[in-house]
């Protein structure tokens, strides 16, 4: 929850994993969101040797749909609690910033699709809050991505 983005070395590494359209989305993420995403991607890279660029891009951009809400770090906490109380799928249908935040998986997938991202990257953005039984990404990749995001 500290301010600031990733180190210059991590920023350069992250950008090297992204296509031009993905880089444009990356640049719009807040510093703390980019720092979190680099941590997820580095963990996936270490735990899933040979993970391809689309998998690392999925790790880096899985939360890109949060841009639509305009909510900062501290406003996301109560929005997450509201989603948990009301049910994420139901609350994601609400209008306004909280609904947009809770709908970030679908919104992020749409942004990535429009940016020309690989289908696996798009799929993970859409599916990263779903149970493993509903993933379309390969199970080992989904498990590595999900475990890294929990850290």
């Amino acid at each position: 929850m500290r301010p600031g983005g990733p180190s210059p070395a991590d920023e350069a590494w992250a950008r090297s994993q992204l296509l031009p359209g993905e880089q444009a989305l990356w640049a719009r993420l807040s510093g703390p969101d980019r720092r979190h995403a680099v941590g997820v991607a580095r963990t996936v890279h270490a735990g899933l040797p040979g993970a391809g660029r689309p998998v690392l891009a999925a790790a880096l951009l899985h939360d890109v749909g949060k841009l639509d809400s305009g909510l900062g770090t501290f406003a996301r906490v109560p929005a997450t609690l509201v989603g948990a109380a009301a049910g994420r799928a139901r609350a994601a249908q609400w209008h306004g910033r909280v609904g947009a935040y809770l709908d970030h998986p679908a919104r992020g997938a749409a942004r990535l699709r429009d940016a020309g991202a690989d289908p696996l990257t798009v799929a993970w953005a859409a599916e990263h809050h779903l149970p493993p039984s509903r993933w379309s990404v390969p199970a080992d990749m989904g498990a590595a991505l999900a475990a890294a995001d929990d850290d």
Side-chain angles (χ1 to χ4, degrees):
M1 294 186 53
R2 65 180 168 81
S7 70
D10 280 342
E11 183 77 30
W13 177 80
R15 287 183 176 279
S16 77
Q17 306 303 318
L18 301 173
L19 299 172
E22 295 169 339
Q23 288 180 15
L25 293 173
W26 172 260
R28 294 193 54 214
L29 293 173
S30 71
D33 284 345
R34 289 193 328 275
R35 196 176 57 247
H36 162 71
V38 166
V40 172
R42 290 282 196 190
T43 301
V44 169
H45 185 66
L48 194 62
R53 191 213 60 80
V55 177
L56 297 176
L60 291 165
L61 295 171
H62 67 281
D63 282 335
V64 74
K66 291 180 179 180
L67 289 170
D68 290 354
S69 74
L71 295 179
T73 304
F74 294 107
R76 292 176 182 178
V77 173
T80 299
L81 294 173
V82 167
R88 184 177 206 71
R90 182 173 180 213
Q93 296 173 357
W94 296 346
H95 296 287
R97 293 169 70 179
V98 172
Y101 173 74
L102 295 171
D103 192 36
H104 79 268
R107 290 167 179 261
R111 281 179 174 270
L112 288 164
R113 192 176 307 108
D114 291 347
D118 185 274
L120 185 142
T121 306
V122 173
W124 187 248
E127 298 168 6
H128 73 277
H129 283 291
L130 297 177
S133 63
R134 297 194 47 208
W135 295 343
S136 66
V137 301
D140 63 330
M141 291 177 189
L145 287 158
D149 198 20
D150 284 343
D151 291 346

